[in-house]
Amino acid sequence: MRTARTRHYLMCRPTYFDVVYSINPWMDPSKPVDTRLAISQWENLREVYLGLGHTVDTIDPVPGLPDMVFAANGATVIDGRALVARFRDAQRVAEGPAYHDWLRDNGFTDLRTAGAVNEGEGDYLLAGDWLLAGQGFRSDPRSHEEAQEFFGRPVVGLTLVDPHYYHLDTALTVLDERTIAYYPAAFSPGSAAVLRRLFPDAVLATAEDAAVFGLNAASDGRNVVLPDNATGLKDQLRARGFHPVGVDLSELLKAGGSVKCCTLELRGAAT
Ligand code: ARG
């Protein structure tokens, strides 16, 4: 039997969501986007979290920042300390200060903006004592050292090799302190070997489940919120005693994001 622990999340309503530039292979600005549908799918995700007993704060969306809905990228927050993102792409740079100001205004006094490119929880996932950190596409490996120093937690650098899985949270999800699920082919051979060594009992996702962003999930230790069409992964999770909760975020996938991307966990929140 798995035990859930209630979480404190920050989300950003996709009021201005659109795909008007392309910074990952999923984004095709020539494809139409239904912003109203994106909003209703996002509202549903928020309600699912509230139904599970989680606290959900929201940050005001900013016009002209269509990717701001992906709150996971705004920062990494552990023990009430916040390391605010520095984005790689010019189109997203202004999101960093917006998340900085929200965190400052909501009681996070111990906060710093990363010096090196660091896309927050897109690339930094806490698994027990280890801070798993992606590199290869977005976050700079120099940000790993900076994060280790800031949080005083061992950072395990992992190299992503498939541009479709450009952030760590598109290829790996933390299910509980000891359990992760990941898609091995998204990692360099050495990084896949590191994951096998640290997590010999991990759930290994198929290419099909990875391609629908099944690994872009948010777990509370028991309930795992993930894209509903990751059917194989849902079965694997059930077999391990987790409770999968499927949601549809098809509009947001047009920007290369899903459940986890929309969700920043505030650990040791100041409130
Ligand atoms: N369009 C966004 C980008 O490419 C999507 C970000 C998804 N967020 C995430 N945590 N993986 O930056």
Side-chain angles (χ1 to χ4, degrees):
M1 188 56 192
R2 305 279 176 180
T3 32
R5 186 165 51 75
T6 55
R7 308 292 165 129
H8 189 166
Y9 292 141
L10 178 62
M11 297 179 74
C12 180
R13 190 173 187 271
T15 310
Y16 308 108
F17 176 67
D18 203 347
V19 177
V20 294
Y21 51 78
S22 181
I23 54 173
N24 71 55
W26 305 89
M27 301 176 85
D28 178 355
S30 69
K31 266 206 224 151
V33 168
D34 184 341
T35 303
R36 284 177 53 180
L37 179 57
I39 292 169
S40 72
Q41 292 176 338
W42 179 91
E43 295 284 3
N44 177 62
L45 174 63
R46 183 171 163 272
E47 271 151 34
V48 165
Y49 286 147
L50 294 172
L52 291 170
H54 303 316
T55 301
V56 180
D57 282 332
T58 53
I59 176 173
D60 288 337
V62 175
L65 296 177
D67 274 333
M68 195 175 164
V69 57
F70 301 116
N73 298 133
T76 305
V77 182
I78 303 172
D79 302 327
R81 309 192 75 201
L83 187 54
V84 178
R86 178 176 299 277
F87 285 86
R88 182 195 68 171
D89 296 287
Q91 296 96 331
R92 299 198 67 187
V93 162
E95 294 180 44
Y99 280 91
H100 175 280
D101 291 355
W102 188 93
L103 289 161
R104 182 201 57 207
D105 295 345
N106 286 273
F108 290 86
T109 48
D110 200 354
L111 86 172
R112 178 202 300 181
T113 294
V117 169
N118 174 329
E119 297 204 353
E121 281 205 323
D123 276 323
Y124 283 89
L125 296 173
L126 187 66
D129 283 333
W130 289 310
L131 190 50
L132 306 180
Q135 64 153 84
F137 296 101
R138 299 293 181 89
S139 297
D140 190 304
R142 283 168 294 191
S143 76
H144 294 182
E145 197 187 323
E146 186 181 11
Q148 174 163 294
E149 203 58 39
F150 184 74
F151 293 115
R153 299 200 175 222
V155 168
V156 177
L158 299 167
T159 301
L160 296 161
V161 294
D162 179 336
H164 289 92
Y165 305 105
Y166 56 92
H167 274 144
L168 183 63
D169 73 354
T170 64
L172 185 151
T173 188
V174 176
L175 298 166
D176 68 22
E177 308 243 305
R178 286 169 303 278
T179 318
I180 66 167
Y182 66 99
Y183 175 48
F187 296 89
S188 69
S191 293
V194 167
L195 289 171
R196 281 196 300 276
R197 189 178 292 274
L198 292 181
F199 302 98
D201 301 325
V203 174
L204 301 183
T206 62
E208 291 71 28
D209 288 325
V212 296
F213 266 40
L215 292 163
N216 198 244
S219 173
D220 63 13
R222 172 174 142 75
N223 305 291
V224 184
V225 184
L226 79 170
D228 193 47
N229 47 358
T231 48
L233 185 56
K234 287 195 296 182
D235 289 341
Q236 285 176 289
L237 293 172
R238 271 186 218 104
R240 297 288 198 99
F242 292 99
H243 177 238
V245 181
V247 295
D248 181 6
L249 289 177
S250 58
E251 273 322 282
L252 294 167
L253 190 54
K254 293 178 179 173
S258 192
V259 174
K260 172 59 205 172
C261 298
C262 293
T263 313
L264 175 62
E265 184 165 355
L266 304 176
R267 298 181 188 80
T271 47

